[in-house]
Amino acid sequence: MDLEIRHLRIVHAVAEAGSVTKAATRLGLAQPSLTAQLKRIERSLGGPLFERDRNGARPTPLGEMVLSRARVLLPAVRDLQEDAVRFANTSVKLPGYRIGATNGPILGGLVERLTADQPGIPVTTRTSWSAGELTALAVAGRLDFVLLGTCGDSPPPPAEAMNWTTVGTDPVFVLLSEDHPLAGEKELELSSLADEHWTVAPGDGCFADCFAAACARAGFVPESIYETDVGTCLHLVGVGKAVALCQATFRLTAGLVMMPLAGAPLRWRHLLGWHADSIGARAAAPVVAAHARAAYADAVRRSARYADWLVTNPEYGAVP
C-alpha cells in the first residue's frame, strides 16, 4: 500500500486525540474501521505507530518520527490547496514588474508599453553588464524578468528552472566615425578592418571568443581592444581612435555611421527569461513577451540601415 496524505491525517488525528476511539469520533468514522485502517498504515510503514492500552494511544519512536514529518507535510498540503484554489479563481497579477537587463534596445520600450498598458502597476529596472548576475537575481526571486543577449546559438547563463524565449535575432554591425575612409561603403568585409583598433563594452558571455574566431576566419588577429563603458566606446569611435561592434538595432548618435558586415559573421539573440517557480511571472510572461517583441520591432524600425538590410535577410529580426 502506498502512503497517502489521508493516512497521515489519520495518524495525526490519533496522536492529537490520544485514543483511536476519540479520533474515530472526530473523523466521523466507525472505530473498527479506523482501527483497520491504522493497522494497514502500520504494516506499510514497517511497525506499530502507537502503543495502545486501556489508557489510550501513545506514539512509539517510529510513530514520533512519522508524526514529525506529518506536522510539516499536512500544513504544506493545506497551503497548496488554498493557493491552488485562489490561483484558479482569480486573475493572478504581479504586484509590480522587476526587470533586469543588459545593454540592449528593448528595455526602454518595454517599460513604456507596460506602464501604458497597466498604469497602476509599478515597474522597476536594474541594469548590469553581467547576464549571469541578472539571471542569479531572477533565480533568487529578486527579479521577475531578465532581458539579455547571447552570441549566436550559445545558451543563456546556466541556472536551475529558468524559462527563456527568444525576442529577436540581430546581425552584428560595426560603428565607424562618419569621417572614416570606409564610411561610404554599402557593407564591409570584416577583413577590411584588420588594421583597426577596437573598443568594446564588458560582458560575461562568449562574445569575445566569437569575435576572435570571426577575425581568425577573416585572416587576422584584432589590434588592441579597449574594454570600457558604452559612452567611452562611442567617444573613441567618434574621434577616429577605434571602431566598435554593435547590435543592428543600435540608435545612432551624431558623428557615427553603422555598417553591415558582409555575410553576417556574428549574430546576437535577444532573450527574455523568468523563473519557473514564480507563479506571477509565469502568468504574466505572455503579456511581457508580447510587449518585449513590440518594443524590439520598434527598435528595428528606428534603424533605417537595419530595416533595409532585413529586406534581403528576412531570417533575422523579430520572432513571430
Side-chain angles (χ1 to χ4, degrees):
M1 183 184 75
D2 292 332
L3 188 67
E4 300 176 13
I5 291 297
R6 62 187 179 90
H7 299 146
L8 294 180
R9 290 195 179 102
I10 288 172
V11 174
H12 186 263
V14 172
E16 289 292 303
S19 78
V20 174
T21 300
K22 291 180 181 178
T25 300
R26 293 182 182 182
L27 294 171
L29 299 172
Q31 188 268 336
S33 174
L34 182 58
T35 299
Q37 289 191 55
L38 184 58
K39 287 181 178 179
R40 287 195 295 271
I41 294 168
E42 289 177 325
R43 283 197 298 270
S44 74
L45 293 175
L49 301 179
F50 296 96
E51 295 177 356
R52 296 187 287 275
D53 55 30
R54 68 181 66 181
N55 295 319
R58 296 175 301 281
T60 64
L62 175 60
E64 291 287 4
M65 186 276 288
V66 173
L67 282 166
S68 68
R69 303 290 180 87
R71 290 182 180 116
V72 174
L73 290 172
L74 291 174
V77 170
R78 183 177 61 252
D79 290 345
L80 172 61
Q81 290 173 324
E82 292 173 355
D83 288 345
V85 170
R86 283 195 296 269
F87 183 84
N89 292 284
T90 61
S91 178
V92 176
K93 292 184 179 180
L94 289 169
Y97 294 99
R98 301 169 299 170
I99 304 171
T102 54
N103 184 47
I106 299 172
L107 181 60
L110 176 58
V111 171
E112 177 187 2
R113 288 175 173 275
L114 283 174
T115 54
D117 184 43
Q118 302 177 44
I121 297 181
V123 177
T124 59
T125 61
R126 177 173 182 149
T127 58
S128 173
W129 59 265
S130 172
E133 175 191 0
L134 295 175
T135 302
L137 289 173
V139 172
R142 295 172 60 188
L143 289 174
D144 301 307
F145 295 96
V146 175
L147 284 167
L148 53 81
T150 62
C151 182
D153 296 321
S154 61
E160 185 177 353
M162 283 294 292
N163 292 330
W164 298 98
T165 186
T166 300
V167 177
T169 301
D170 292 339
V172 174
F173 285 2
V174 64
L175 281 178
L176 308 175
S177 165
E178 64 182 2
D179 298 324
H180 193 284
L182 298 175
E185 300 293 325
K186 183 178 180 181
E187 66 176 13
L188 299 177
E189 295 288 342
L190 183 58
S191 59
S192 68
L193 302 169
D195 296 329
E196 299 288 344
H197 298 281
W198 298 82
T199 181
V200 297
D204 57 357
C206 64
F207 186 77
D209 294 335
C210 294
F211 174 51
C215 292
R217 291 193 296 271
F220 71 97
V221 175
E223 292 284 339
S224 58
I225 298 176
Y226 306 114
E227 184 181 279
T228 183
D229 60 273
V230 173
T232 302
C233 287
L234 298 181
H235 174 80
L236 292 173
V237 173
V239 297
K241 297 298 183 181
V243 297
L245 297 172
C246 68
Q247 298 166 30
T249 46
F250 178 78
R251 184 177 288 188
L252 281 173
T253 56
L256 303 181
V257 294
M258 185 169 64
M259 307 289 294
L261 290 170
L266 293 164
R267 292 183 296 119
W268 191 253
R269 282 192 305 147
H270 301 282
L271 302 178
L272 175 72
W274 61 94
H275 197 264
D277 289 343
S278 171
I279 294 176
R282 288 206 311 269
V287 173
V288 176
H291 285 315
R293 290 192 174 100
Y296 170 77
D298 288 342
V300 172
R301 284 190 290 268
R302 285 194 300 266
S303 175
R305 196 70 183 263
Y306 185 23
D308 289 344
W309 186 89
L310 282 173
V311 173
T312 55
N313 297 274
E315 66 273 22
Y316 289 86
V319 173

